Amino acid sequence: MLTLALNKGRILDEVLPLLAQAGLDPLEDPRRSRKLIFETRHPELRLFVVRSGDVPTCVAHGAADWGITGKDTLLEDGGQGYYEPLDLGLSRCRLMTAGDPTFVPVPGQRLRVATKFVKVAQRYFNDRGVQIDVIPLGGAMELAPLIGLADLIVDIVDTGNTLRANGLAPLELIEHVSARVIVNKASMKQHQTRLGPMLAALEAALPEAAEQGVGP
Ligand code: PRP
C-alpha cells in the first residue's frame, strides 16, 4: 500500500477533482469526515490530509510515499529528502513582500518583517544585503503593519483583495507558487513500478482538469 499526504484547504479543493480523474480519489470526502486516513478508488493507495508544513515532513520521513503541497511550503521547508517531479499548475498565487505603500525605510535601521515564511524572508532579504528582524506570525500577517508590529510582511498574494482591504500593497515578487507533487527519495526507487503509473495518471488528468476550470 502506498500513502499520499495532501495539503488541507484550497489545494485539497482543487486537487480532489484531479485525483478523481486519475482514479486516485478517496472513497469518502475528507472535508466531511473526522477520519484521518482514507482508502482511495485505487486498491494500492491510501491518503491522509494534514496542514501544509506537515506534508514535506511526512514525505521526507517516509510516513507518506508522496505528497501534494504548495511551492511556498516547499521553499520554507528547504526541500530535503524528496523529489519534486510534477508541477500541477493548480492553486496558483505569488509569494511577495507587501506593506504600506507610503512606508519609507530609515537608512541603517533594520526592517521588521512579519511572516510565517521565516526562512524564505531571511533568505530573500539576506541575498539583497538588507538586515531584517523576522516577526513570526501564524496567520493574518496583514495585521502586522497596521498595528505597528512590523514594517513589511512576506505572504501569499492571490487576488490582492486582502492587502487592498487593509490599505496595503504588494511590493516585490519573491516566487510564483503552485501546487507541486513531491515523492520520498527511497519510495521513488523502491516503488517505481506502482508510483510511476499513479504520477502518470495524475499528469494525464491535468489538461482535462484545466478545461473544466480547476486547472491553470
Ligand atoms: C492567504 C494569505 C492572504 C490571503 C491572500 O490567507 O495569507 O491573507 O490568502 O489572498 P488574496 O490575495 O486573494 O486576498 P488564507 O486565507 O489562506 O489564510 P491564512 O492566513 O491562514 O494563511
Side-chain angles (χ1 to χ4, degrees):
M1 185 65 91
L2 297 180
T3 303
L4 166 64
L6 283 179
N7 194 136
K8 262 186 187 173
R10 194 177 140 206
I11 289 184
L12 180 65
D13 292 340
E14 296 193 9
V15 163
L16 282 175
L18 194 68
L19 289 175
Q21 279 163 29
L24 304 173
D25 48 319
L27 295 182
E28 59 185 299
D29 189 336
R31 297 165 298 186
R32 299 210 182 98
S33 172
R34 301 294 298 172
K35 268 175 66 177
L36 296 172
I37 298 181
F38 299 89
E39 290 178 63
T40 73
R41 206 142 51 87
H42 192 297
E44 289 187 299
L45 182 70
R46 62 179 187 168
L47 63 79
F48 61 79
V49 180
V50 286
R51 296 182 73 151
S52 56
D54 296 339
V55 173
T57 304
C58 291
V59 173
H61 287 268
D65 298 286
W66 58 303
I68 298 176
T69 190
K71 183 66 180 176
D72 52 332
T73 299
L74 300 179
L75 288 168
E76 182 65 13
D77 176 70
Q80 298 294 310
Y82 48 82
Y83 299 113
E84 191 193 310
L86 188 58
D87 180 353
L88 296 177
L90 303 174
S91 304
R92 287 179 188 275
C93 55
R94 291 159 293 156
L95 194 50
M96 300 198 67
T97 67
D100 180 337
T102 64
F103 168 73
V104 181
V106 179
Q109 198 165 309
R110 293 168 75 91
L111 281 176
R112 296 168 306 152
V113 179
T115 189
K116 65 177 173 191
F117 301 100
V118 171
K119 291 183 203 152
V120 169
Q122 265 159 348
R123 241 184 349 250
Y124 180 78
F125 285 101
N126 192 43
D127 286 352
R128 281 151 190 80
V130 179
Q131 299 229 307
I132 65 164
D133 291 320
V134 173
I135 316 283
L137 284 181
M141 264 77 80
E142 294 84 358
L143 191 59
L146 306 180
I147 58 172
L149 184 60
D151 305 313
L152 296 175
I153 64 171
V154 166
D155 196 11
I156 291 301
V157 180
D158 179 13
T159 60
N161 288 342
T162 312
L163 289 176
R164 264 192 301 279
N166 292 290
L168 304 175
L171 298 173
E172 292 167 12
L173 175 70
I174 299 178
E175 199 86 44
H176 287 282
V177 169
S178 55
R180 307 292 168 98
V181 171
I182 57 172
V183 180
N184 174 271
K185 285 186 174 171
S187 297
M188 188 72 116
K189 284 199 197 98
Q190 286 165 17
H191 305 304
Q192 178 59 35
T193 50
R194 285 182 296 156
L195 252 177
M198 288 182 195
L199 296 185
L202 204 57
E203 193 170 11
L206 276 177
E208 212 182 325
E211 277 164 27
Q212 291 178 12
V214 297

